[in-house]
Amino acid sequence: MISFLRNKYLCENIFNMISETDFITNHYSTEINHGSSTWSAPSNIALVKYWGKKENQIPANPSISFTLKNCKTITKLSYSKKEDTANFSFDLLFEGKPKEDFKPKIQKFLDRIETYCPYLKNYHFTIDTENTFPHSSGIASSASGMAALAMNIMGLEKELCPSITDEFFYQKASFLARLGSGSACRSINGSIVVWGTHNEILGSSNLFGVEFPTLIHPNFNNYQDTILLVDKGKKQVSSTVGHDLMHNHPFAEQRFLQAPQNLSRIKSILETGNIEGFIKIVESEALTLHAMMLTSMPYFILMKPNTLEILNKIWEFRNRTKIPVCFTLDAGANVHVLYPENVLVETLQFIKDELVGYCQNGQYICDEIGFGSELIIDN
Ligand code: PMV
């Protein structure tokens, strides 16, 4: 029987048959009265971008990202049983102080995941969260924030259903995080994560992120990401609105064909260690993401003049020195400078000499590929 179940699971995994209903938890103990846990989850940076989605946070194309190491959210979730089970009840603290304006996003997240975690209304929660990166640095905290919260919720679920496997634990955490913020599903595990069905990535799914399944070439070990903070203000157009503008976008169809092709290419690049090929795909993906924004209706620009100055400086430096430094961009003006660990000294010197002047208050963050979420405290 066990081997039949294992085979069934394998088949489902290979043929990507895991469905939403597999994540509904029906049987759980009601014995746990209170407790708390603290998890950290990192940010991630996409190499092939997710831009455009279908209903229920299903991506319009597959994406792949580096999980980061230093840019993290650390969240403590405390829970205690309550009498009234009709509504969600929670307090939200950011760096130890109440933060009312974060609450609607959390409320929406809880509404979305309730079907899968029906025990949530039995508890009052205190969510105490902080980031390792500076507040309003223009670095999106939604991916790391939703991932850290999802890990804590799975911590509670594990208390209520001790028999769940580690595989289910992490897969469901990614599934829940996705419902909070799409790219958050790539912040559960490290070091390279694929989200979205792709015929060359075993077990890939639109419902959750999976670790890149094959061996990565040592050229990409400890790959560096120095994040240049060009503009720390609030974005004029949110990601939610941006994704939405991919409906009826004149180039959407073409883009949704290009992304899986780029993912195929980057898969073999990561396996063979072809850094030149890596640079081409990654920079093209960054500019394509912003090209989609420029050609939306209404159109918008998230890059700033200093973003372009930095891109030109990177090209100039690369041409001059042959040091394989490249950039990628998120949905914002900040620039992620990506480079192999063996050119760290020269690249940091270049950043200090030539790029820091384009950063707001000269600020930048040194990060690198990391390993995903971590349990900090389990009570
Ligand atoms: O997860 P969201 O809805 O914030 O969208 C993120 C989209 C990009 O960061 C621009 C690309 C990506 O794949 O992370």
Side-chain angles (χ1 to χ4, degrees), residues 188-216:
I188 300 295
N189 290 320
S191 304
I192 301 186
V193 178
V194 175
W195 168 39
T197 311
H198 190 281
N199 56 13
E200 290 167 39
I201 305 285
L202 197 66
S204 58
S205 171
N206 285 335
L207 301 179
F208 48 82
V210 296
E211 275 188 70
F212 188 72
T214 43
L215 209 59
I216 294 154

Side-chain angles (χ1 to χ4, degrees), residues 30-78:
T30 47
E31 303 293 308
I32 308 294
N33 288 319
H34 56 84
S36 71
S37 60
T38 304
W39 280 85
S40 76
S43 190
N44 70 76
I45 180 68
L47 306 171
V48 172
K49 309 288 181 182
Y50 144 64
W51 197 243
K53 61 179 159 184
K54 302 174 194 165
E55 245 192 293
N56 298 329
Q57 304 276 96
I58 297 299
N61 63 258
S63 57
I64 184 167
S65 53
F66 279 161
T67 307
L68 297 184
K69 194 186 240 174
N70 302 329
C71 289
K72 291 188 290 199
T73 298
I74 300 161
T75 300
K76 176 177 180 186
L77 182 73
S78 311

